[in-house]
Amino acid sequence: MTRVDDRSMAGPTEAELQSAGLRFTQSGPIGEITLCTPERRNTQSPAMWRALAALGRTMPTDIRVVIVRSEGRSFSAGLDRSMLKGPGSPQDAADDETLTGLLDGSDVTIARTIREYQDGFMFLRDSNFISIAAVQGHAVGAGFQLALACDLRIVADDAIFCMKEPALGLVPDLTGLAPLVRQVGYGRALEICVRARDVGATEALSLGLAHSVVPVSDLDIEAQAMAHSLLQADTAAAREVKQLVQSAEVVNLEHQRQLEAAAQTRLLRALAATADGSDRRF
């Protein structure tokens, strides 16, 4: 996935992000998206998903690594349950969009709205940057899927993943199933989802869901260390590699070899264009 580089688009303001429970900061080529409602265990809502999608559409083009993290003891406890209440039910005044309210529309409208929610997760696959989830405490339902949307996951030793949707009579619909199946396989993914069971940090590491497990106090340090290590790679090469790894999951070998050859050709020409004529190493 490649984002549209439209500099005429204005990103969400700090106030808009804050009202959706988010904060975005940038330090050079590293961006941080922080879920910042620890008093609500960083539960998610349609407003948050729309804000994430807007942020993704206007992500600064010089960002090379995006860290997704949270304040407080939980990464994200999943969907704000008030979103499941019917029209007229008490809910957070900051977000008047309920999931049950979707039923007022047609099936086509419902599906289109869900795809809009999914955009808040899909942008993390953008090949212009590598995304890292720094996960502590509970990552439940939408929280689990947000972590799965990222390329890499650094987790604290108290992390607990759970795909809770089936226990609520729903399915995971925020693009988390495909990466879960790729990481753990069909049978294990089915079992984890249908049983809606907890997956702790140690199991997550053994299944390949986590790339490393560290003490809670070291989580931010480890995520920053990973981000800076990724910056050591050539920018163009890192972007090409991410695209190739993504395509390798879905295309046949013949198509993949063509994509690899085309990517290498682009990089070789770029190297030739920038290399000193007296110091060519290829």
Side-chain angles (χ1 to χ4, degrees), residues 82-87 89 91 97-105:
S82 69
M83 297 299 104
L84 295 174
K85 297 178 181 178
S89 299
Q91 62 186 77
E97 185 174 1
T98 65
L99 298 188
T100 50
L102 286 174
L103 298 178
D104 293 334

Side-chain angles (χ1 to χ4, degrees), residues 112-140:
R112 182 175 63 245
T113 301
I114 292 173
R115 287 196 297 272
E116 292 171 357
Y117 297 161
Q118 292 168 342
D119 288 342
F121 296 70
M122 286 295 294
F123 83 92
L124 291 164
R125 280 87 165 184
D126 190 329
S127 60
N128 283 296
F129 56 78
I130 295 175
S131 53
I132 303 170
V135 181
Q136 80 280 8
H138 286 86
V140 178

Side-chain angles (χ1 to χ4, degrees), residues 43 50 55 75 116 138 176 184 200 229 241 249:
T43 52
R50 293 186 186 282
L55 184 59
F75 179 70
E116 292 171 357
H138 286 86
V184 307
S229 70
V241 167
E249 295 179 328

Side-chain angles (χ1 to χ4, degrees), residues 28 41 51 56 64 67 71 78 88 92 99 111 150 158 160 162 186 194 209 212 214-215 220 228 230 234 273:
R41 298 174 64 203
R64 293 186 55 198
I67 299 173
E71 293 180 347
D92 189 339
L99 298 188
C150 293
D158 70 342
I160 298 175
C162 180
Y186 164 80
V194 174
L209 287 172
S212 64
V214 298
D220 287 341
H228 284 280
L230 293 169
D234 175 79

Side-chain angles (χ1 to χ4, degrees), residues 244 247-248 250-262:
L244 289 172
S247 66
V250 296
V251 306
N252 60 40
L253 181 58
E254 182 59 34
H255 189 190
Q256 179 68 14
R257 64 188 288 201
Q258 294 172 12
L259 293 174
E260 291 173 7

